Amino acid sequence: MKLSIRAQAVIGIGMIEVVMLIVLLYSVFHFIDSSTTDEVERRAQSIARIFAATAADDVLSLDLGSLQSFVDAAARTPGTAFARVTDYNGHLLAEAGNSDSLRRSFQRSRETGGLPGLYMAQATIVKAGLNYGTVEIGLDLREQLQGIEQVKRRSLIIAALEVLAAALFSIAAGYYLVRRLKHIRRVLGRVNNGEYSQRVNDSQLDEVSEVASEIDRLAERIAWEKGTSERRIAELEELNGVLQKRLAEYRRHR
């Protein structure tokens, strides 16, 4: 299958652009996911530790009413799906939040890999080196994940537009190059047909113009050689006429 220079330029530039964008997008998406996960983990652990320190006195005194009020307030914090407090034996002391989230078994989200819509973290209630219980929290990351997906979709759209722009640019560049090459081919065809006065006259400063200059010099050399050959032939014909005339005169005088 024969491919034109324009098609080769489009395919070549397109492949380079696609490969580079894939590498770039993979790096950007990986950075977004890893940095977001690290930031969410720091935020979740910070909230859990503060929650544990604040709830410690109510747990030690078993003031379940005050503890429940505190847990209710914590669960109403924007971005918090649930909050739960258990004693050192794992018995539930207080919980509040989204019912669907509360029914899910606790699992540290950092250990699951990826960034789930419900991010769970826990901290231990410690006083004087003794473990008195555990607090568990769940962060609702659905809006944040939607924002990340929107950023990724926009990045993909921008990448697609960039590939399209590169394709259009390569088509335009290929058209310009092919037009110059077609002009060179026309001049060569005319020179081949004996029109030695034709010239390419490419004024650009690139490899194509160098080839065009060589063709112009070759055409000039052929025209010069043809002119020289024609003059020599004319001179020989004239000389031959003179010789024939003298030969005829010589024969008459014999």
Side-chain angles (χ1 to χ4, degrees), residues 241-254:
V242 172
L243 290 175
Q244 290 292 336
K245 184 178 179 181
R246 290 183 178 179
L247 181 60
E249 291 177 353
Y250 173 75
R251 288 175 178 175
R252 283 199 304 269
H253 288 91
R254 286 187 64 182

Side-chain angles (χ1 to χ4, degrees), residues 101-163:
S101 301
L102 288 172
R103 283 195 294 268
R104 296 177 59 176
S105 58
F106 181 84
Q107 184 179 11
R108 277 182 52 85
S109 298
R110 186 67 175 183
E111 299 171 356
T112 62
L115 197 62
L118 179 62
Y119 197 92
M120 301 182 185
Q122 66 179 189
T124 304
I125 301 174
V126 178
K127 282 287 186 178
L130 299 177
N131 181 1
Y132 287 93
T134 304
V135 300
E136 300 172 356
I137 63 165
L139 301 181
D140 187 357
L141 302 181
R142 287 176 295 180
E143 292 186 2
Q144 190 168 354
L145 290 176
Q146 290 176 359
I148 293 174
E149 290 301 319
Q150 187 176 10
V151 170
K152 290 182 178 180
R153 284 195 298 270
R154 289 179 178 176
S155 299
L156 290 174
I157 292 174
I158 293 174
L161 291 176
E162 186 169 348
V163 171

Side-chain angles (χ1 to χ4, degrees), residues 65-109:
S66 177
L67 182 62
Q68 185 63 52
S69 298
F70 175 72
V71 171
D72 290 338
R76 288 194 298 268
T77 303
T80 302
F82 74 87
R84 181 187 294 122
V85 180
T86 59
D87 63 13
Y88 61 92
N89 288 321
H91 298 144
L92 179 65
L93 298 179
E95 66 177 6
N98 183 277
S99 57
D100 294 334
S101 301
L102 288 172
R103 283 195 294 268
R104 296 177 59 176
S105 58
F106 181 84
Q107 184 179 11
R108 277 182 52 85
S109 298

Side-chain angles (χ1 to χ4, degrees), residues 34 42 44 62 119 156 191 233 238:
S34 60
R42 285 193 293 269
L62 293 180
Y119 197 92
L156 290 174
V191 171
I233 291 173
E238 183 180 357

Side-chain angles (χ1 to χ4, degrees), residues 42-75:
R42 285 193 293 269
R43 174 189 169 198
Q45 289 299 325
S46 177
I47 293 175
R49 285 193 294 268
I50 294 173
F51 188 10
T54 307
D57 292 337
D58 292 335
V59 172
L60 265 64
S61 63
L62 293 180
D63 188 352
L64 299 184
S66 177
L67 182 62
Q68 185 63 52
S69 298
F70 175 72
V71 171
D72 290 338

